[in-house]
Amino acid sequence: MYLIKEIKEIAPKIKKMVLEAPLLAKKHKAGQFVMVINTEKGERIPLTIADKDPEKGEITLIFQEVGKSTIEMGLRKPGEYIYDVVGPLGRPTHIINYGNVVCIGGGVGTAPLYPITKKMKETGNYIITILGARNKDLFILEKEMESVSDEFYQTTDDGTKGRHGLVTDELQALIDSGKKIDLVLAIGPAIMMKFVSLLTKKYNIPTMVSLNSIMVDGTGMCGACRVSVGGVTKFVCVDGPEFDGHQVNFDELLKRQAMYKDMEEIALKKFLEELKKKEPCGGCHA
Ligand SMILES: Cc1cc2nc3c(=O)[nH]c(=O)nc-3n(C[C@H](O)[C@H](O)[C@H](O)COP(=O)(O)OP(=O)(O)OC[C@H]3O[C@@H](n4cnc5c(N)ncnc54)[C@H](O)[C@@H]3O)c2cc1C
Ligand code: FES
């Protein structure tokens, strides 16, 4: 059981949860994730540790409410307990002094990107950050990301902050400026990581992406998270979550992510109906 120390909304439908988890805070390395089981009957949700405080024995999770399990988790209160947190899982990010590193975060992908960027900066890399969101209200961890960046750019789809356009437009501008780029690290929706990888491939810029495949057990046994990388089957939970973006079959990943869409919709509908019976506004998710 893991005590919830804090829970708050940091952007529309994006929540930050601080948990008392001393062993996880001590063992976690940038790039790793945990499997969160909200209640005894809950499913396993893979979430990245967005921050930690080993002295206080706390970890921070940042999650977007997209379906039944994440919405249910978002309704929890400080002082309550999360049934279980399994981890840290996955391979830590390979962090060395690459030189100039461009860190690209799309939407809630900024949460897993932050601890990696922080460590990249501590290791002596020159950090150029590009954060992208649909509009200015949807950015998260802006101050934190800016504080570990040497250059900081933002893009919005609607032009309400930073460059009007996509993260790839800002990346193209950086490439066109002649800036030497030694590594691009992109974390966000699969479609964003696909287009970042296609762009950097043209210029032979090494690119790392963190894949958010559907997971079940998180231990390499069930095969749910399988992806094709360089024509070889890999399991995101044990071989990843980071891979060479130029080798990933993103179209297959996108198809597999949508595999349980019908069942997920039914589960969410049933959950919201039950919630509505208990709370008149359906927890305000109706
Ligand atoms: C290694 C890893 C780390 C992750 N870290 C984070 C994190 O730090 N913060 C965060 O908000 N999310 C993270 N995710 C995604 C998160 O696990 C899913 O959003 C969550 O499991 C959805 O559960 P649900 O029951 O609420 O929604 P579901 O009902 O299962 O899904 C609702 C809809 O959400 C989308 N979805 C479901 N699963 C995923 C997925 N794995 N990736 C992308 N879209 C998905 C689909 O469009 C789906 O139809 C991570 C995923 C992985 C694999
Ligand atoms: S989640 Fe089961 S093998 Fe990766």
Side-chain angles (χ1 to χ4, degrees), residues 52-146:
K52 63 180 172 188
D53 186 332
E55 279 177 14
K56 282 192 189 163
E58 291 173 355
I59 59 164
T60 300
L61 306 173
I62 293 180
F63 59 96
Q64 190 161 24
E65 296 176 324
V66 291
K68 192 231 169 211
S69 298
T70 44
I71 291 177
E72 195 174 24
M73 201 163 113
L75 294 171
R76 305 301 301 274
K77 303 271 183 296
E80 293 179 357
Y81 287 86
I82 292 288
Y83 181 68
D84 205 0
V85 182
V86 183
L89 301 169
R91 292 170 185 259
T93 308
H94 184 58
I95 298 181
I96 54 166
N97 194 333
Y98 294 93
N100 293 342
V101 179
V102 178
C103 295
I104 305 181
V108 78
T110 305
L113 185 67
Y114 173 57
I116 302 171
T117 310
K118 196 156 90 172
K119 197 79 196 159
M120 285 278 190
K121 174 78 182 150
E122 283 166 18
T123 315
N125 290 288
Y126 182 87
I127 306 291
I128 305 167
T129 292
I130 306 173
L131 299 187
R134 271 178 286 125
N135 65 57
K136 66 174 175 30
D137 300 323
L138 296 176
F139 284 108
I140 55 166
L141 302 172
E142 288 169 280
K143 273 197 208 118
E144 289 85 345
M145 283 300 292
E146 195 168 5

Side-chain angles (χ1 to χ4, degrees), residues 35 214-225 235-238:
M35 280 289 193
I214 285 188
M215 289 190 180
V216 177
D217 65 353
T219 63
M221 305 283 280
C222 70
C225 67
F235 295 150
V236 174
C237 64
V238 286

